[in-house]
Amino acid sequence: MKFYNKLPFHIGLIVFSIVADQLTKLWAVARFTNETGAQTHDYINVVGEFIRFGLVFNKGAAFSSRPQDLMPFLPPWLFFLIISIVAAVALGWFYRSIDKRDWLSRLGVVMILGGAVGNFIDRMRLQMVVDFIDCDLPDFIMTRFPTFNVADSFVTVGVALVILSPVILKKLHKQIKDEKEAEKKAKEETEKKDEQ
């Protein structure tokens, strides 16, 4: 098994994603607030105005949505704590259920988990998420893409890897499917023999 498909590498990637996310957020807050802690509302152009850095605090979930409105009796921090625990358990179960040969899906799940933990830390520490990467889009789609952070990037790339794995590793996925069908067939035949 390649090093990038082993548990130590996956744990290291989760730690790296969390550290990179938190350090860049600390930088963004320090850079885009003044001595009193108020936002300066200025920007740093990275690639002209196409990609720029500027501080935004997101008190909701993805794309500033407010899923906690579904359960207004829960304080937002408790809502996100419950959601994060459920998501972490689900991702852990999904990771364990993936065939070990499917390194791309496993890597994707690890990236999603690392990004989710990064944003979870913000919600527990600040009751909001620090976003600072601002990208332009063609105006017929939307004026600008919602501001995001390093954790969001890890989640997005991770989801893309999980979705693309059956396409990129097509032969492997077919082999895994055939093996599962053969196992199921063998099990059914064994059960029939036991009944007789």
Side-chain angles (χ1 to χ4, degrees), residues 106-180:
R106 285 165 56 92
L107 197 60
V109 171
V110 165
M111 292 182 77
I112 294 167
L113 185 57
V117 171
N119 282 335
F120 171 73
I121 291 169
D122 277 20
R123 290 194 177 101
M124 293 299 103
R125 189 171 63 90
L126 306 168
Q127 284 75 56
M128 54 189 166
V129 174
V130 175
D131 292 326
F132 65 94
I133 305 169
D134 180 27
C135 295
D136 196 8
L137 284 172
D139 288 344
F140 66 89
I141 297 174
M142 61 177 75
T143 306
R144 295 193 78 83
F145 192 78
T147 308
F148 58 99
N149 56 44
V150 171
D152 296 333
S153 302
F154 270 87
V155 171
T156 303
V157 172
V159 169
L161 291 180
V162 172
I163 291 170
L164 291 174
S165 178
V167 178
I168 296 170
L169 303 176
K170 190 175 181 179
K171 287 182 181 177
L172 175 62
H173 278 266
K174 187 181 184 309
Q175 182 183 345
I176 292 168
K177 185 182 176 184
D178 291 344
E179 287 173 4
K180 285 182 179 177

Side-chain angles (χ1 to χ4, degrees), residues 21-119:
D21 176 63
Q22 291 298 305
L23 287 178
T24 53
K25 286 172 177 174
L26 287 171
W27 169 82
V29 171
R31 171 59 181 81
F32 296 107
T33 56
N34 59 27
E35 300 80 25
T36 64
Q39 285 179 249
T40 58
H41 299 289
D42 61 336
Y43 289 93
I44 295 174
N45 290 340
V46 179
V47 181
E49 288 195 0
F50 179 67
I51 300 174
R52 61 187 187 177
F53 294 154
L55 184 62
V56 174
F57 292 111
N58 178 1
K59 295 182 180 179
F63 302 106
S64 299
S65 60
R66 292 184 50 83
Q68 66 267 34
D69 290 343
L70 298 171
M71 294 186 233
F73 52 89
L74 287 179
W77 70 268
L78 183 56
F79 175 86
F80 284 116
L81 176 63
I82 292 168
I83 291 296
S84 298
I85 290 170
V86 170
V89 170
L91 285 168
W93 175 83
F94 182 45
Y95 177 86
R96 288 177 58 87
S97 70
I98 297 170
D99 189 290
K100 288 188 178 179
R101 293 168 290 177
D102 184 5
W103 60 272
L104 208 54
S105 291
R106 285 165 56 92
L107 197 60
V109 171
V110 165
M111 292 182 77
I112 294 167
L113 185 57
V117 171
N119 282 335

